[in-house]
Amino acid sequence: MAEASDNPLSVHVLNIQSGLPSSGVEVELERRTDAGWESLSTATTDEVGRVSALYPDSEEFLPGVYRVTFETGAWFEERDIATFFPDIPVPFEVEDTEQHYHIPLLLSPYGYSTYRGN
């Protein structure tokens, strides 16, 4: 992975039930193609709930539709907490490849919210 300062994509997961970062959440990045979704990378959130460099440095950052999927079901199961969401896919569109894209996820067992951060 590229250094965070050079990487165009980062994510952050915060458990709003506890108010703490969600470390250990598996995250997958995909790009939509004519043939379907192409997997680009996977990572796990760190101790502060972040993946600071999700976009693979071996790939050119292209305009298009991408999807970050947070594997929340497994994360909750490991903590013996029931959840309604086995995973949370967040599609988004990249128009300007010179910008940084940050996708925060505010998470609870029965709800979530996301937005474009910076």
Side-chain angles (χ1 to χ4, degrees), residues 71-92:
E71 299 297 336
T72 52
W75 186 85
F76 278 117
E77 185 177 333
E78 289 171 4
R79 286 148 184 83
D80 200 28
I81 300 171
T83 183
F84 187 67
F85 301 102
D87 57 59
I88 298 173
V90 180
F92 61 98

Side-chain angles (χ1 to χ4, degrees), residues 12 50 61 71 84 111:
H12 186 202
R50 295 182 183 272
F61 190 44
E71 299 297 336
F84 187 67

Side-chain angles (χ1 to χ4, degrees), residues 36-103:
W37 291 101
E38 170 191 16
S39 182
L40 296 177
S41 70
T42 58
T44 303
T45 57
D46 63 16
E47 63 279 350
V48 293
R50 295 182 183 272
V51 176
S52 59
L54 187 56
Y55 202 85
D57 60 359
S58 61
E59 292 279 331
E60 181 183 359
F61 190 44
L62 301 171
V65 176
Y66 292 82
R67 178 171 64 190
V68 172
T69 301
F70 298 91
E71 299 297 336
T72 52
W75 186 85
F76 278 117
E77 185 177 333
E78 289 171 4
R79 286 148 184 83
D80 200 28
I81 300 171
T83 183
F84 187 67
F85 301 102
D87 57 59
I88 298 173
V90 180
F92 61 98
E93 186 165 8
V94 170
E95 293 180 350
D96 182 355
T97 60
E98 297 299 313
Q99 294 185 18
H100 179 84
Y101 292 81
H102 181 66
I103 302 174

